[in-house]
Amino acid sequence: VETSARTRNPRGSGTRLADEIVAAAIALIDESNDPAALTLRGIARRAGITAPAIYAHFPDLAAVVDGLLAASFEELRAAVQAALDGQEDPVAALIAAGRAYVEFAWGQPARYRLMFAASGYAPDAVATFTLVQQAITNCVRAGASASEDPHLDTWLLWAALHGVATLDKPERSDYLRLGPLNRPAMLKTLIRRIARLR
Amino acid sequence: VETSARTRNPRGSGTRLADEIVAAAIALIDESNDPAALTLRGIARRAGITAPAIYAHFPDLAAVVDGLLAASFEELRAAVQAALDGQEDPVAALIAAGRAYVEFAWGQPARYRLMFAASGYAPDAVATFTLVQQAITNCVRAGASASEDPHLDTWLLWAALHGVATLDKPERSDYLRLGPLNRPAMLKTLIRRIARLR
DNA sequence: TGTACATCAGTGAACGCGCGTTCACTGATGTAC
DNA sequence: TGTACATCAGTGAACGCGCGTTCACTGATGTAC
C-alpha cells in the first residue's frame, strides 16, 4: 500500500504507466507468493493508482498478465545468458546456465509457476531453450559431451531443470527426508548425466 | 450440473457423502482443468447438493481440498505400484514406474499441479518416493544400475519426472518446435541416464 | 400392526466481501493567441 | 508576458457477480410404545 500521493505522469508519458503497472504486478506476485493475488485491483493498489486507470493502458487483466509474462521470460533469458557469458569453459558455462535457471525459479517461485502454467508460454521460452542447446553443442565441439542429439538432450535437460525448479523448493525438502543433500552438487550431477558430460 | 433429484443418504451413512464430496471435487478439477474452479459452491453443484450441506462433513473448503489431495496421492502411489507389479525385470519395472508417474500427471494435469503446489505435500509423497527408491535399488542389486547412491538418484529422477510431467503436456510441445519426438523413448532415455542403467 | 415422535441429512435465504468492468467526471499541464 | 482553452492521465461511485459461510428450517427415516 502506497501512502504518499503519487505524482501524475507528464503528458506524453506513453508507456510509462504501462511499465509501472507491469512492475507492480511482478512485485505483487513475487511478494505475496500466490498467483491468486494477481488481481486488477491488487495491481492498481500496488502501483498507487485506482483500478480504472489501468484500462487506459491495457484492455483487461489478461493483457497485464501477458505483459508480466513477456517481461519475466526476458528476465529468465537474460539471467541464463549472463551465466553463460561469465564462463570460459563450455562445461562450466552449461552448469552455470542450469544453476541460473533454477535460481531464477527459486527466487520468484509463484511467478515462475505462472510462467509455465499459462498455456501459451512456449514461444517466449524458445530463446532460452536455444541458449541451452547452444551450450550443449559447445560442450560436444570441445569434446566434453558425448551427446549425439543436442536438441533432444536440451529438451531432457530443460524438463529436469524445470522439475528441480518447481519440486525442490529448499524449504520443502526437509519433509521429503532427504537429509543434508548438497544442492549445487546435485544439480551438477543431474546436468552431467543428462548432457552426457565427461 | 445434476438434473434429477438426489436421493438422500440413509441415516447412518457416516462418511458416504464425505466421499461423494471429495469425488465431486476431483471430477470438477479434472474436467475443468483449472484449479480456480475448485470452489465450495462448485463442488456442491457437482455433487448435487447445496453448498451448506458440505459443512456437515468438512469444516471448510480447505478440508475438502485436503481430502482431495490425500485421495490423489494415494491414487498416484497405487498407479506406480501397479506398474512395478506388472514387470519381472527390475529395469523394465523402473521404466514402467516412471511412465506410470508421468501418465498420471498427464491424465489429470490440473490436479497433479495442485498436488505439488500445496506446501505440505511431501508427507503424502513419501510412499511413492520409497517405491521408486526400491526400484532403483533392485536394479543395482541385479547389476543393471551403476548407481552409488539410490536415495540421491531417486531424488534426481523424481525431479526429472516431475519436470516432464508438468512441462511436457503433449499438446504444448509443438510450440517448442521439438519436431516428431518419440515420447516414450525420450522418457526411457531420461530414466536410463539418471538411474545409470546399463 | 399402528401411531407418535426424535433424529438428522440436507435446504433456502441471507450476509458481507472482493472482484472486473463501466461511466461521467476532474483538474493539472501544455499550447495558442 | 499573460490568459483562455483543449488535452488527457487519473479519480470516484456504481453495477452485477460468484464466492465462503451462517442460520433457521424441513421433511423423510428409523425407533419406541
Side-chain angles (χ1 to χ4, degrees):
Chain A
V1 183
E2 190 151 329
T3 54
S4 65
R6 233 183 75 88
T7 56
R8 173 224 227 65
N9 280 334
R11 274 295 194 84
S13 62
T15 64
R16 185 167 145 198
L17 184 54
D19 292 345
E20 287 176 20
I21 290 168
V22 168
I26 288 174
L28 187 60
I29 190 171
D30 284 353
E31 289 170 21
S32 71
N33 208 11
D34 175 14
L38 259 195
T39 66
L40 207 156
R41 293 175 106 112
I43 292 167
R45 275 192 296 271
R46 196 60 166 68
I49 55 177
T50 59
I54 290 181
Y55 288 92
H57 303 272
F58 298 92
D60 54 19
L61 173 59
V64 180
V65 174
D66 284 348
L68 175 150
L69 291 174
S72 298
F73 275 107
E74 169 51 23
E75 192 180 333
L76 172 59
R77 189 206 59 76
V80 170
Q81 179 72 266
L84 289 169
D85 291 347
Q87 303 290 331
E88 296 279 331
D89 177 60
V91 168
L94 177 60
I95 289 169
R99 185 127 57 216
Y101 184 98
V102 166
E103 273 168 7
F104 175 88
W106 287 350
Q108 33 275 324
R111 182 148 56 105
Y112 179 83
R113 277 171 187 267
L114 184 67
M115 289 164 68
F116 289 93
S119 55
Y121 67 84
D124 294 302
V126 168
T128 306
F129 186 95
T130 304
L131 287 179
V132 175
Q133 183 172 339
Q134 189 59 51
I136 291 182
T137 302
N138 290 342
C139 289
V140 173
R141 287 211 182 111
S145 164
S147 171
E148 291 167 359
D149 187 341
H151 185 265
L152 169 61
D153 291 342
T154 299
W155 199 91
L156 295 178
L157 179 57
W158 186 299
L161 292 175
H162 179 72
V164 172
T166 54
L167 188 63
D168 180 36
K169 293 173 90 174
E171 71 269 23
R172 286 181 179 171
S173 54
D174 290 339
Y175 292 127
L176 269 179
R177 299 175 197 160
L178 292 177
L181 292 178
N182 182 336
R183 260 155 233 299
M186 275 172 38
L187 188 57
K188 194 168 170 179
T189 299
L190 191 62
I191 295 170
R192 284 195 167 276
R193 289 191 193 160
I194 294 176
R196 306 186 69 187
L197 301 180
R198 298 183 216 277
Chain B
V1 182
E2 191 152 327
T3 55
S4 66
R6 233 183 75 86
T7 55
R8 173 223 226 67
N9 280 336
R11 273 292 195 84
S13 63
T15 64
R16 186 166 146 198
L17 184 53
D19 291 346
E20 287 177 20
I21 290 167
V22 168
I26 288 175
L28 187 60
I29 190 170
D30 284 354
E31 289 170 21
S32 71
N33 208 10
D34 175 13
L38 259 195
T39 67
L40 209 158
R41 293 175 105 112
I43 293 167
R45 275 192 296 271
R46 197 61 166 65
I49 55 176
T50 59
I54 289 180
Y55 288 91
H57 303 273
F58 298 92
D60 56 19
L61 172 60
V64 180
V65 174
D66 285 347
L68 176 151
L69 291 174
S72 298
F73 274 107
E74 169 51 23
E75 193 180 333
L76 173 59
R77 189 206 59 76
V80 170
Q81 179 71 268
L84 289 168
D85 291 346
Q87 303 290 332
E88 296 280 332
D89 178 61
V91 169
L94 177 60
I95 289 170
R99 185 127 59 214
Y101 184 98
V102 166
E103 273 168 8
F104 175 87
W106 287 350
Q108 33 275 323
R111 183 148 55 106
Y112 179 83
R113 276 171 188 268
L114 183 67
M115 288 165 69
F116 289 92
S119 56
Y121 67 83
D124 293 303
V126 168
T128 307
F129 186 95
T130 303
L131 287 180
V132 175
Q133 184 173 338
Q134 189 59 51
I136 291 182
T137 302
N138 289 342
C139 290
V140 173
R141 286 209 183 114
S145 163
S147 172
E148 291 166 0
D149 186 342
H151 185 265
L152 170 61
D153 292 342
T154 300
W155 199 91
L156 296 179
L157 179 56
W158 186 300
L161 291 176
H162 179 72
V164 172
T166 54
L167 187 63
D168 179 36
K169 293 172 91 174
E171 70 270 22
R172 287 182 180 168
S173 54
D174 290 341
Y175 291 127
L176 269 179
R177 297 176 199 159
L178 291 178
L181 291 179
N182 182 337
R183 262 155 231 299
M186 276 172 37
L187 188 58
K188 194 168 171 178
T189 299
L190 190 63
I191 295 171
R192 283 195 167 277
R193 288 191 194 159
I194 294 176
R196 306 186 69 188
L197 302 180
R198 299 181 214 278

